[in-house]
Amino acid sequence: MKKYFVFLSFMLLMHNVLAQVLLDVYKKGTVKLVPDSEYGKDNQWDKVFESYYDTLYNAHIKSPIGVRKSLVVMPDGSVVVSHRYKDFYSLFDPAGKFVKEFNLKGSSGKKLKEVDQIQGIINNNFYTDFDNMGKSICFDFNGNYVKTLSVDYMVFQSVPISNNKIAVAGWVIWKDRQRDLVAIIDYKTNEHKIIWDYFYVTKGGNFVYTESHGFKGTPIPKGVPIGEGLRPQIAFVNNRLIIAIPGSGDILIYDVNGKFISKEKAEWEPKYISVQEQKESKEKAIERVLYDIEHKEKKGYRFFPDLATQLKDLKAELENITTPKPLPMFSNVLKDSDGNLLFFEMAETEGGNKFNVWIYQEGGKFVCQSSFVCDDFDLIITPSKMVFHNGYIYSLQTLKNAKGNPLRLVRFKVTN
């Protein structure tokens, strides 16, 4: 019996040591991402990611579709890359070697078209992003159709929170208002429960906060004017669903059934956009609309009231910029493989990626601050481009000074 307790104590100690590995790296300061040179070393990237050069979208600003690709890491370390707008997927083995391209097949066995990117794994099946009709397709690891999940609102993020539940963050738009929400969907029954939401109403063409509605006494923080980067972000750590509100810095903690537990707060000071920076941004937006108008005129179009209205509104907004504007408290939230959450602050300079590390202990607390650096790659830091697995970061990034196609699937070692 004594030997058993000694062994158990040793295993618990080892678990705690392993769980602190990444946190110890963060605490030492700047984190260096070092690519594993053996990972996927024999892949022919020009062929594997040849769709990187497609210009179906944003061709006039030279934005390759490669920036729209995303990845999912499977439990064994295999990786599936989604080629958005191309309706196929690429499979890589745990060593990073390209295995094959595959499609999603319907119940009849025929290839399905216009299938969204894979978002995650639920009940040992893949599930895709929810499309514009609120539908997500679930299929097995061989690409065979299993079932369809559906909701009656738009979804911009989703995370599995148990073997049979998915948390989603979404929104609904009416003529005079918008509702942002977070809900829990039951994979087996498709039933869903909204656990958090708030409303905006339209005033003078802009959405502004008006009131919020909670469920079962859930405390809801006041909102902020709607805009890019202000929608709630969700994550699942240590059997807790986290709802993080970029505009207010609030961090709401729920259990797996959607019961509210507590609320925390981002601890750093908000940043602001100066009047000059706001004007420059608005002027660039005006230039883009003028480009679109000119492009349509060259093609012979003579009626485009939406663009004309947009141009008028942008010019009016430019004239009314008089005070600094607060930025969201953070841009992205990444979950690492030890259960820590990395809250990335809004970058003050290009390439900046300072993050604050939050751990779920004693209700949740921030323990340190750090940032990523990488000598070999230009980093794009989003949950769809960077996924932690067993202490590594699996990522889709562009190689600096690459000859030919720069896009790579890379596995980073996380070190100082």
Side-chain angles (χ1 to χ4, degrees):
M1 182 64 72
K2 183 177 180 180
K3 290 182 179 180
Y4 171 79
F5 280 116
V6 170
F7 175 76
L8 179 60
S9 299
F10 173 77
M11 292 303 296
L12 290 173
L13 176 61
M14 289 303 298
H15 173 78
N16 290 333
V17 169
L18 290 173
Q20 296 299 312
V21 169
L22 289 174
L23 187 57
D24 289 343
V25 175
Y26 305 146
K27 287 181 176 180
K28 291 179 181 178
T30 301
V31 177
K32 190 169 185 178
L33 302 186
V34 180
D36 182 346
S37 59
E38 294 297 311
Y39 186 78
K41 64 178 182 179
D42 296 324
N43 290 332
Q44 298 179 14
W45 298 110
D46 284 327
K47 179 64 176 178
V48 172
F49 289 146
E50 62 181 347
S51 64
Y52 177 81
Y53 292 107
D54 289 353
T55 53
L56 179 62
Y57 290 82
N58 299 328
H60 67 282
I61 58 174
K62 298 181 180 180
S63 175
I65 284 186
V67 303
R68 299 174 182 268
K69 298 182 188 297
S70 62
L71 77 156
V72 170
V73 181
M74 299 174 67
D76 69 348
S78 299
V79 173
V80 175
V81 173
S82 299
H83 301 258
R84 196 171 186 181
Y85 305 121
K86 300 297 290 185
D87 304 324
F88 71 90
Y89 312 96
S90 295
L91 174 65
F92 298 81
D93 70 16
K97 181 180 179 180
F98 172 74
V99 178
K100 64 178 180 179
E101 293 177 354
F102 67 97
N103 305 107
L104 172 57
K105 300 180 287 291
S107 55
S108 64
K110 294 183 178 180
K111 172 188 172 183
L112 294 181
K113 297 181 178 180
E114 299 182 7
V115 182
D116 285 309
Q117 65 191 38
I118 297 172
Q119 183 63 35
I121 297 173
I122 182 74
N123 203 39
N124 295 318
N125 293 308
F126 290 124
Y127 74 92
T128 68
D129 273 349
F130 288 78
D131 62 20
N132 291 337
M133 302 302 292
K135 296 185 182 299
S136 170
I137 298 176
C138 305
F139 55 102
D140 66 23
F141 294 157
N142 294 314
N144 299 306
Y145 174 84
V146 176
K147 66 184 300 183
T148 299
L149 299 174
S150 60
V151 296
D152 56 359
Y153 42 81
M154 301 287 285
V155 173
F156 54 83
Q157 187 188 5
S158 63
V159 295
I161 62 173
S162 73
N163 196 40
N164 290 310
K165 293 180 180 178
I166 302 174
V168 299
W171 81 100
V172 181
I173 299 177
W174 293 275
K175 181 179 180 180
D176 61 344
R177 75 184 72 179
Q178 173 167 322
R179 180 192 194 191
D180 283 2
L181 58 90
V182 174
I184 294 177
I185 302 174
D186 188 295
Y187 172 81
K188 291 185 176 180
T189 65
N190 202 90
E191 295 178 352
H192 66 107
K193 177 176 67 173
I194 296 174
I195 64 170
W196 177 92
D197 72 343
Y198 57 81
F199 285 79
Y200 298 95
V201 296
T202 302
K203 289 185 179 180
N206 295 314
F207 284 107
V208 297
Y209 173 80
T210 175
E211 62 177 324
S212 59
H213 296 264
F215 288 81
K216 297 182 180 179
T218 301
I220 305 298
K222 287 190 175 181
V224 292
I226 193 168
E228 188 66 28
L230 295 179
R231 289 181 172 137
Q233 298 191 35
I234 54 178
F236 189 63
V237 295
N238 298 327
N239 213 36
R240 293 290 183 260
L241 173 61
I242 311 300
I243 303 176
I245 316 298
S248 64
D250 288 316
I251 302 167
L252 310 178
I253 304 168
Y254 295 78
D255 69 14
V256 72
N257 296 312
K259 181 181 178 181
F260 176 77
I261 297 175
S262 63
K263 181 174 74 172
E264 304 297 327
K265 190 83 172 180
E267 299 175 346
W268 53 95
E269 293 296 320
K271 297 180 176 65
Y272 292 83
I273 308 176
S274 68
V275 171
Q276 182 61 31
E277 290 171 327
Q278 291 180 66
K279 288 185 175 181
E280 290 175 357
S281 177
K282 200 67 66 175
E283 287 167 352
K284 289 180 180 179
I286 290 173
E287 289 178 6
R288 288 194 294 269
V289 175
L290 287 172
Y291 174 91
D292 289 339
I293 291 175
E294 180 183 1
H295 185 67
K296 287 183 177 292
E297 287 177 340
K298 285 182 178 180
K299 287 195 170 185
Y301 294 100
R302 291 292 179 267
F303 185 69
F304 29 84
D306 291 345
L307 287 176
T309 300
Q310 188 178 357
L311 183 62
K312 180 181 177 181
D313 291 342
L314 286 171
K315 289 182 176 180
E317 291 168 8
L318 178 62
E319 293 297 322
N320 291 326
I321 296 175
T322 58
T323 58
K325 177 183 177 182
L327 282 168
M329 294 292 287
F330 47 85
S331 58
N332 282 299
V333 180
L334 265 62
K335 173 187 173 182
D336 73 13
S337 51
D338 288 349
N340 308 304
L341 290 184
L342 313 184
F343 285 75
F344 286 82
E345 297 183 31
M346 298 297 294
E348 295 182 283
T349 59
E350 185 175 355
N353 62 73
K354 181 167 38 174
F355 61 83
N356 298 268
V357 182
W358 187 87
I359 62 175
Y360 185 70
Q361 289 180 3
E362 300 173 359
K365 60 182 179 181
F366 287 94
V367 294
C368 63
Q369 189 179 80
S370 191
S371 62
F372 289 141
V373 295
C374 184
D375 296 333
D376 305 282
F377 290 84
D378 295 311
L379 296 179
I380 297 179
I381 301 175
T382 66
S384 65
K385 291 285 187 294
M386 301 183 76
V387 177
F388 282 84
H389 180 73
N390 289 343
Y392 291 93
I393 294 178
Y394 293 74
S395 193
L396 288 169
Q397 303 293 342
T398 53
L399 180 66
K400 296 178 181 178
N401 304 316
K403 295 180 179 179
N405 191 334
L407 187 63
R408 300 288 188 273
L409 172 64
V410 57
R411 181 170 67 184
F412 289 117
K413 300 175 184 177
V414 181
T415 182
N416 297 113

